[in-house]
Amino acid sequence: MISRRRVSQAMTTAAGAAGLSGAARARAAAQAQPPQGLGPVRHVRTDVLDIAYHAVGPADGVPVILLHGWPFSPVGSYAQVAPPLADQGFRCYIPYLRGHGETRFRHRDTVRSGQQAALGADLIAFMDALGIRRALYAGYDWGGRAANVAAALWPHRCTGLVCVNGYLIQNIARAQEPLSPAQELGFWYFFYFLTERGAKGLERNREELGRVVWQHNSPEWQFTEAEFAQAARLWTNPDYVAVTLHSYRHRLAAAPGAPRYEELERRLLAQPTISAPTVTLDGKADGVTPWTDGSSYQPHYTGPFAHHVVPGAGHNLPQERPDAFVSAVAEAHGLR
């Protein structure tokens, strides 16, 4: 039986939403709905973070950690990926990256770093906190970078790798070397975030900026207002701006890294290879990273390797083409 209180709450929510329009109505709907297909938000503590995450699939299933990018949502990216993987016997863990959603820094004096070594270290700390000895990593953008870093620096913890846009470990030593003008155009927000103007723009206009990135980086993706509103909720995290700014400034050698990650960053300067079985994916409609045949980064992967180009997919490939991502995870697990 539905209680009178729940009916009253539902009527109040509906009445409030009735006075809204467009994105505001979608945002209200997103706040009222639980994450579809991923279950409740759980929490686990590491030495640095209180990490919010979802877990889907049999408790004794093959562990796979699904890692989202910026400025996207783990719920949007993996709501149509985790359930099919669970049906295949995988235990899917979907964490919220630092600076996103309910993930929080535990201490005020911790540097709000967004550098690549921090993302990789977070992944290993997440596994340690949950008692996961080894897992398959799968991700894109920031999440793909975290997966590459962890697979390279802690190879014994990684059973396989799926990464969109291939080898994403940044070569900070070459950060001042220009790319082609077409590629630099796609990276406009990297340079915007180097400036105080960009910092203020991100703080004041995070939703508008996120929408521009979604539209530019995935030009063929017809996302809904509800999907966008669900992701935009994550950007209200109190550390979202600081982590984002540091990520883009550090990768261009315009900001120092946090001291605790100095040794890891030193090791990443060597552009270490990855021995885990790997499947790389490129979206053929990626508006920021042009698709390739995979040959340019294949030498970084010394184990079994496969590469696929996914038609119609942009930068947020798991959400845009979930079937292709599910297939890639199963393929990486089967590579020997």
Side-chain angles (χ1 to χ4, degrees), residues 81 224 295:
V81 170
T224 67
S295 61

mmCIF file of all heavy atoms in Angstrom, residues 81 224 295:
data_model
loop_
_atom_site.group_PDB
_atom_site.id
_atom_site.type_symbol
_atom_site.label_atom_id
_atom_site.label_comp_id
_atom_site.label_asym_id
_atom_site.label_seq_id
_atom_site.Cartn_x
_atom_site.Cartn_y
_atom_site.Cartn_z
ATOM 1 N N VAL A 81 25.453 -0.376 -19.754
ATOM 2 C CA VAL A 81 26.631 -1.241 -19.904
ATOM 3 C C VAL A 81 26.712 -2.258 -18.779
ATOM 4 O O VAL A 81 26.918 -3.457 -19.013
ATOM 5 C CB VAL A 81 27.920 -0.399 -19.941
ATOM 6 C CG1 VAL A 81 29.166 -1.284 -19.843
ATOM 7 C CG2 VAL A 81 27.968 0.446 -21.218
ATOM 8 N N THR A 224 19.374 13.482 -24.221
ATOM 9 C CA THR A 224 18.152 14.114 -23.724
ATOM 10 C C THR A 224 18.480 15.123 -22.625
ATOM 11 O O THR A 224 19.556 15.083 -22.022
ATOM 12 C CB THR A 224 17.187 13.065 -23.160
ATOM 13 O OG1 THR A 224 17.758 12.490 -21.965
ATOM 14 C CG2 THR A 224 16.928 11.952 -24.174
ATOM 15 N N SER A 295 47.282 1.915 -34.750
ATOM 16 C CA SER A 295 48.694 1.555 -34.909
ATOM 17 C C SER A 295 49.632 2.510 -34.188
ATOM 18 O O SER A 295 50.740 2.118 -33.794
ATOM 19 C CB SER A 295 49.053 1.502 -36.398
ATOM 20 O OG SER A 295 48.849 2.762 -37.024
#
